[in-house]
Amino acid sequence: MGEILDGKAVAERVRAEVGGRVAALAERGIVPGLATVLVGDDPASRVYVGSKEKGCAALGMRSFGHRIAADVTTAELVALVEELNARPEVHGILVQLPLPAPIDADAVIQAIAPAKDVDGLTVVSQGRLLAGRPGLRPCTPLGIMRLITETGVPLRGAGAVVVGRSLLVGKPIALMLLERHATVTLCHSRTRDLGAVVRGGDVVVAAVGRPELVRGEWIREGALVIDVGINRTADGRLVGDVEFATARTRAAWITPVPGGVGPMTVAMLLANTAAAAGAGIAA
Ligand code: NDP
């Protein structure tokens, strides 16, 4: 029976580490600041932004909340981002996605100064990752890498199968695994015989958004399984992209849903904000 990789516990450790960095920055007179931009009144987005702002407060960081009506234009949002780019007390800018139609979300994201891109979603940040240069990395993949590190499972030479190729998760996690010398296979909706490919994975990362798409019987004995998916079933339960119960009987390690990758994402956003405030990152 595989061990549960407890994202809540690891996220607590990350938060404690960030707290230490915040204290060190305070000695230099720097208080990390995160600007949050929430457009419209989507309840899930409101909860996510709220937890990010609370996370800042708990660690002695500042947050600057911007609540914007859904009828805002793309140009107005870009202007807001540019204003935040120029404010020295703002070290990180988080635009909560998805943005309501017809706003051009990409135009808004690309307006974020790379030095403040704590979600790691601008083409500059993504390009730095591709090129192996220092930069701010997307939070969910960063959190996944930290979870993998906690297991002690070696990545060098390991077969890593990533299911899902989004800019938010699949592509960046594939690059980060490659950086750590895994042999990476990146799957998507056109992949033939997904089961056969997943069976080759010493490490499996599922980021699809389809409940239990990855069957437990596909998991190789002793594999490390990271389930990014968050899916709500008809009866209101949250399930991942992996068939958890069966997968656990085969895996060495597996993340639960909820309580696996989810808590890591916010913790890594706080870590990125502290890093941006420490200004290791060039603009
Ligand atoms: P996207 O919808 O952007 O991407 C989904 C990917 O899955 C696409 O690349 C798609 O392929 C692929 N896919 C869809 N169907 C299949 C299939 N049948 N077989 C193989 N691949 C398939 O999703 P995200 O990456 O943004 O999110 C994925 C999941 O992770 C969601 O459940 C989301 O809620 C969750 N999530 C959780 C986070 C957390 O903090 N825990 C953070 C971010 C996301 P194609 O490209 O060919 O269409």
Side-chain angles (χ1 to χ4, degrees), residues 212-236:
E212 301 181 333
L213 174 94
V214 174
R215 311 310 299 170
E217 73 208 31
W218 296 353
I219 300 300
R220 168 184 278 203
E221 287 287 339
L224 163 54
V225 179
I226 305 283
D227 190 350
V228 186
I230 304 174
N231 309 289
R232 198 166 286 280
T233 61
D235 58 356

